[in-house]
Amino acid sequence: MPDQLPVAVVGAGPIGLTTALGLAHYGVPFILLEEDAVLSRDTKAGTVLTRTLEVWDRYGCVEQVLAAALRIDEIGDIDKSTSTPRASVQLEELVRDTRFPFVINIPQHHLEPILADALDGSVMMEHRLESFEVKNDHVVLFVETPEGRKEIEASYLLACDGGRSKVRDALGATVSGETLPERYMLIDVVVDLDVTNARDYPYLAYFADHSEWMVLIRQPEYWRFLFPLGPDQAPPDEDGLLAKVRQFIGEVDRMELHGSVIYNVHHRVADHWSAEGRVFLMGDAAHLITPMWALGLNTGALDASNLPWRLAWVLRGWATPELLDGYEQEQRPVAIEGSGEMAEAARKYMSHQRGAVTAAGSAWATAYTRTLLGVRLDVDGEGDWSMVMTAAEPPAVRAGDRAPDLVLRGATGPTSIHELARDSFVALYFTDVRRRPDIPVNDSPALRHYVVSRWDAPLDSGLRERALFDPGAIATGRYGVPADTMVLIRPDGHIASVEPIRPGVAEDRYMAITGRPVPGLEVGGG
């Protein structure tokens, strides 16, 4: 796309950075504008869930993040009044679902530079968007810079400019919902709870109590505590903060306050997320989610997973502009009734209020839900979506599900299902390779085809390069579909269709989704 106007991303927080990484991954030219002179140094979000790690893996930066983070395979749940653990969330349950069966803790002000570095310094600091105009085929941005006012033309404008979004206000979007009377206080403390004052807390633990709850988050270099402040309650001074921490963890030999912040708590969503097919709201600009169970930042990461591939397909001519309509269709209910309601129910659970969340159904289902792997999108526009997994065992996959990510063996070595779908749609044909199924050749950069079978493809079958060996039928069993079924996976790792194998089934479904026939190899792409 060398002659293409760039996509403009406004706001270099985690969602803006992730969105830019997604555009770069798909070869879409972009500019990333940040009004401040430096990235945020505030004490903010600190826990990243598995689904976000998968997004960063697709965009090529997950290992850099993991190198600076603390990995966690258990989410604790402790009754503060009795100091007794309740059923914790065991993330080892996910080993057959993802290559990342854990969550991580990393402070946001440590995370943002890592994501920015992965963009090779392409963040334009001190570039403040003042206004914009939507034209027939592009957007004009009016930007204040250290060199003066500039006009920048962009193909699309993606607003990742936070809860006070100027772009959202300019669109006339109404934000509805509620701001809670209580506030949350987040404090970082340097204290030894590993050796001298060993507590053996899980690195992420929720202390529930009807009078005052608290969340404990072990960061790579210190401990973080989150607790509520009453509507009229003045924030404690430093001695008061440290005394509050002792109420939960007991006496320790030494403790030092490292930082603190107070913020309001919202459950508010914009009534529309786009305008004229050229401007889109993302992250906090679209939805403000109560920061319980790490559902704020991580819900925004779902936005940054959903929109970039759609833009790439449209800009390459592989899809009609109507493909972009699916972004709001799929992500808005997740934010309103999914993450928002789940976070609010979790808050009530922490304080033993009515309306609290209940168990998801099994240890596996709870782990699947709490890591956002259970997000099923409304890919068909029928209103059928979900955030919560309730089955005792993994059910057969359905359209909209995030595709379980298992390792299979291809002709040149091991690969994972998500790796196969990193840059294209992928059709998986679950069938018996010995019967020489008629699987299309891979002659398009937009759609790839592979047969999945517990039988290895013979060298004389003509299928060796398009066959994935599934020893013990582990992946076949996890997908749970009948024999001779095609599963079509989108570039964002969500399942687009589950249908019986027939000639042209994947190509037909691709065209139904994109509005365009599958392009040939001569079309190329980013």
Side-chain angles (χ1 to χ4, degrees):
M1 291 175 264
D3 300 323
Q4 176 67 55
L5 286 176
V7 173
V9 181
V10 178
I15 307 311
L17 290 163
T18 301
T19 299
L21 284 163
L23 296 171
H25 169 72
Y26 294 113
V28 176
F30 70 91
I31 55 172
L32 175 55
L33 310 178
E34 169 55 48
E35 67 178 24
D36 292 331
V38 296
L39 297 176
S40 174
R41 295 171 179 169
D42 294 339
T43 300
K44 292 183 180 179
T47 298
V48 176
L49 302 180
T50 305
R51 185 63 183 129
T52 302
L53 296 179
E54 292 183 337
V55 174
W56 288 338
D57 177 55
R58 184 178 0 128
Y59 294 166
C61 64
V62 72
E63 294 303 330
Q64 298 95 307
V65 174
L66 293 179
L70 203 62
R71 291 162 286 196
I72 302 159
D73 70 352
E74 176 188 10
I75 303 174
D77 187 351
I78 300 168
D79 189 292
K80 185 226 173 187
S81 61
T82 62
S83 296
T84 50
R86 297 189 280 193
S88 62
V89 182
Q90 299 292 335
L91 303 183
E92 66 189 39
E93 297 281 341
L94 305 175
V95 293
R96 289 194 175 182
D97 294 289
T98 178
R99 287 174 291 128
F100 305 97
F102 50 84
V103 300
I104 64 169
N105 286 340
I106 180 171
Q108 184 171 321
H109 62 282
H110 291 180
L111 169 65
E112 289 183 6
I114 296 171
L115 300 180
D117 286 347
L119 288 168
D120 296 325
S122 56
V123 184
M124 301 171 69
M125 307 301 296
E126 295 185 271
H127 279 61
R128 183 176 69 251
L129 177 67
E130 291 294 337
S131 61
F132 61 91
E133 293 179 3
V134 181
K135 306 294 186 179
N136 288 335
D137 60 353
H138 67 285
V139 184
V140 180
L141 285 66
F142 302 94
V143 180
E144 286 293 338
T145 79
E147 293 77 37
R149 186 177 175 88
K150 293 183 180 179
E151 290 186 17
I152 300 175
E153 292 188 342
S155 55
Y156 296 90
L157 170 58
L158 310 185
C160 303
D161 53 343
R164 296 183 177 91
S165 171
K166 290 183 179 178
V167 177
R168 184 187 63 218
D169 291 344
L171 295 183
T174 301
V175 180
S176 60
E178 64 176 333
T179 296
L180 301 182
E182 67 180 5
R183 297 156 296 158
Y184 287 174
M185 185 148 199
L186 189 153
I187 62 174
D188 292 330
V189 174
V190 178
V191 60
D192 176 13
L193 299 181
D194 297 317
V195 181
T196 306
N197 312 286
R199 293 293 192 269
D200 294 335
Y201 294 133
Y203 279 170
L204 178 59
Y206 293 78
F207 289 74
D209 186 71
H210 63 86
S211 60
E212 185 176 54
W213 53 263
M214 188 266 287
V215 184
L216 178 149
I217 306 154
R218 177 59 156 114
Q219 293 291 353
E221 297 175 341
Y222 45 82
W223 292 84
R224 174 168 289 181
F225 300 85
L226 174 72
F227 57 89
L229 281 176
D232 300 318
Q233 182 179 355
D237 59 15
E238 180 172 339
D239 289 339
L241 288 173
L242 297 180
K244 184 173 288 292
V245 171
R246 289 189 183 94
Q247 292 176 14
F248 287 90
I249 68 173
E251 289 298 324
V252 294
D253 64 332
R254 186 181 68 86
M255 185 162 49
E256 177 185 345
L257 184 65
H258 184 67
S260 65
V261 68
I262 299 173
Y263 51 90
N264 294 321
V265 184
H266 306 282
H267 178 189
R268 297 164 63 82
V269 180
D271 64 344
H272 62 275
W273 292 16
S274 62
E276 301 180 59
R278 290 283 164 184
V279 184
F280 296 88
L281 305 180
M282 305 179 70
D284 284 355
H287 47 76
L288 289 165
I289 306 298
T290 304
M292 292 296 295
W293 284 1
L295 288 168
L297 180 154
N298 291 278
T299 299
L302 298 179
D303 300 343
S305 174
N306 195 307
L307 188 54
W309 74 267
R310 296 176 185 274
L311 290 168
W313 255 245
V314 171
L315 290 171
R316 293 172 185 172
W318 294 358
T320 64
E322 286 72 25
L323 180 69
L324 301 177
D325 296 340
Y327 163 66
E328 182 173 349
Q329 170 191 301
E330 294 177 1
Q331 295 303 129
R332 194 164 181 273
V334 166
I336 298 174
E337 303 170 54
S339 292
E341 294 296 339
M342 188 186 297
E344 181 61 11
R347 184 187 68 83
K348 292 178 179 179
Y349 173 80
M350 291 290 293
S351 55
H352 296 293
Q353 296 180 37
R354 293 174 180 262
V357 287
T358 57
S362 68
W364 170 82
T366 299
Y368 210 70
T369 297
R370 289 286 292 273
T371 52
L372 286 187
L373 299 186
V375 175
R376 189 175 79 251
L377 302 177
D378 181 16
V379 299
D380 294 324
E382 297 178 353
D384 185 12
W385 63 275
S386 177
M387 286 283 290
V388 179
M389 180 62 69
T390 59
E393 299 290 337
V397 297
R398 299 170 52 188
D401 285 349
R402 164 206 159 268
D405 188 25
L406 295 97
V407 174
L408 301 165
R409 298 201 68 89
T412 58
T415 186
S416 83
I417 291 172
H418 282 199
E419 286 173 343
L420 293 170
R422 191 181 298 271
D423 301 298
S424 69
F425 281 75
V426 168
L428 301 180
Y429 300 82
F430 290 88
T431 190
D432 189 339
V433 75
R434 298 174 300 173
R435 304 296 178 246
R436 308 294 198 272
D438 184 13
I439 304 300
V441 297
N442 287 325
D443 60 0
S444 172
L447 173 62
R448 314 291 285 176
H449 307 266
Y450 297 93
V451 58
V452 179
S453 177
R454 65 171 288 256
W455 303 97
D456 202 6
L459 297 183
D460 63 353
S461 66
L463 290 167
R464 187 76 175 184
E465 298 300 318
R466 287 168 284 147
L468 299 170
F469 178 40
D470 181 20
I474 299 299
T476 301
R478 174 61 185 88
Y479 274 64
V481 295
D484 302 321
T485 294
M486 186 279 305
V487 176
L488 183 63
I489 302 174
R490 304 189 319 191
D492 62 355
H494 280 271
I495 294 172
S497 179
V498 179
E499 300 182 42
I501 294 175
R502 58 174 174 77
V505 60
E507 293 87 345
D508 290 348
R509 187 58 181 158
Y510 175 94
M511 186 169 180
I513 294 167
T514 66
R516 294 276 168 83
V518 179
L521 284 173
E522 70 278 2
V523 173

